[in-house]
Amino acid sequence: DIQMTQSPSSLSASVGDRVTITCQASQDISNYLNWYQQKPGKAPKLLIYDASNLETGVPSRFSGSGSGTDFTFTISSLQPEDIATYYCQQYDNLLGITFGPGTKVDIK
Amino acid sequence: QVQLVQSGSELKKPGASVKVSCKASGYTFTSYAMNWVRQAPGQGLEWMGWINTNTGNPTYAQGFTGRFVFSLDTSVSTAYLQISSLKAEDTAVYYCAREGPLGQWLVPWGQGTLVTVSS
């Protein structure tokens, strides 16, 4: 199994702050890493695919980077509507999909 | 637009079965795989597996074999998740999610179906 870890598990930041979340895979997953946003009571929404590609319609303050085992997700300027839990997700041809445990983002 | 609409919440007793539906619209149903994801109350996302909508062949993740069955009715562009011998620990929101157009990311997602198992 490929294990995914995320840090931090939660964070609190002010509006306008730069927020960074990291995701680490237990083995090399190339760039098969995606990021989702889930607001309370809602379905997850794809933000970033293949590590660094912004999904259509997603604000440009969201970005992703990394390859291999280490990945970063950034919100360049936190907005009140960004309050959510963020999940990384990897894909492996043989083993399928694994999600990270999530990072809850709050406003300070 | 591409959309997945799931059936409504269910309340079931332990030992019963439930069948959740996921109706797709806005694209050719048999061109993209359908995935299922579970989210227990207050917990993270857990991938259950996927079904090839062209062949009907399902693939189940570890922990989701035996009581869980994925199926299709391509005539109405609908995927199904059936869970038998329900247990209290099956209480969760179940999401269907389509494979992305170029790879293994999930977009869009259905709105989720809450299955509550309680005596």
Side-chain angles (χ1 to χ4, degrees):
Chain A
D1 270 21
I2 298 176
Q3 307 300 320
M4 307 298 294
T5 57
Q6 275 183 248
S7 62
S9 56
S10 65
L11 66 90
S12 194
S14 300
V15 172
D17 280 357
R18 184 180 185 88
V19 168
T20 298
I21 298 168
T22 62
C23 179
Q24 188 169 56
S26 59
Q27 64 189 69
D28 190 331
I29 58 170
S30 184
N31 69 332
Y32 297 140
L33 192 285
N34 311 306
W35 291 95
Y36 299 84
Q37 175 193 64
Q38 186 179 32
K39 297 184 178 181
K42 299 294 187 183
K45 174 187 171 185
L46 177 70
L47 300 181
I48 303 284
Y49 63 91
D50 281 351
S52 60
N53 296 285
L54 194 67
E55 172 69 350
T56 302
V58 173
S60 59
R61 64 180 180 274
F62 296 101
S63 65
S65 65
S67 66
T69 61
D70 296 300
F71 301 86
T72 300
F73 172 81
T74 300
I75 308 172
S76 61
S77 176
L78 186 68
Q79 300 302 304
E81 59 267 32
D82 300 336
I83 300 313
T85 299
Y86 293 85
Y87 294 93
C88 61
Q89 173 246 310
Q90 71 83 29
Y91 167 71
D92 177 84
N93 249 331
L94 293 177
L95 302 173
I97 286 172
T98 308
F99 291 96
T103 296
K104 188 173 182 181
V105 174
D106 230 324
I107 296 283
K108 195 183 291 182
Chain B
Q1 77 282 21
V2 177
Q3 196 175 6
L4 301 176
V5 178
Q6 297 184 226
S7 49
S9 297
E10 301 267 10
L11 174 61
K12 296 290 185 180
K13 294 191 183 307
S17 295
V18 69
K19 194 169 187 177
V20 176
S21 67
C22 170
K23 183 169 177 59
S25 61
Y27 71 98
T28 301
F29 181 69
T30 52
S31 294
Y32 300 90
M34 191 68 75
N35 292 256
W36 289 93
V37 175
R38 181 172 78 177
Q39 187 169 39
Q43 302 302 307
L45 303 170
E46 193 175 15
W47 182 67
M48 300 174 67
W50 65 284
I51 184 165
N52 183 319
T53 53
N54 197 35
T55 65
N57 184 48
T59 299
Y60 300 98
Q62 269 189 346
F64 293 101
T65 54
R67 297 188 300 115
F68 301 85
V69 175
F70 306 149
S71 62
L72 306 170
D73 184 343
T74 56
S75 68
V76 289
S77 300
T78 300
Y80 299 95
L81 163 66
Q82 184 160 0
I83 312 172
S84 58
S85 303
L86 283 162
K87 308 174 183 181
E89 50 264 41
D90 294 323
T91 294
V93 176
Y94 292 86
Y95 294 101
C96 60
R98 197 197 75 170
E99 169 193 49
L102 295 178
Q104 283 305 327
W105 53 85
L106 303 177
V107 61
W109 293 57
Q111 82 275 20
T113 296
L114 174 62
V115 175
T116 304
V117 184
S118 174
S119 54

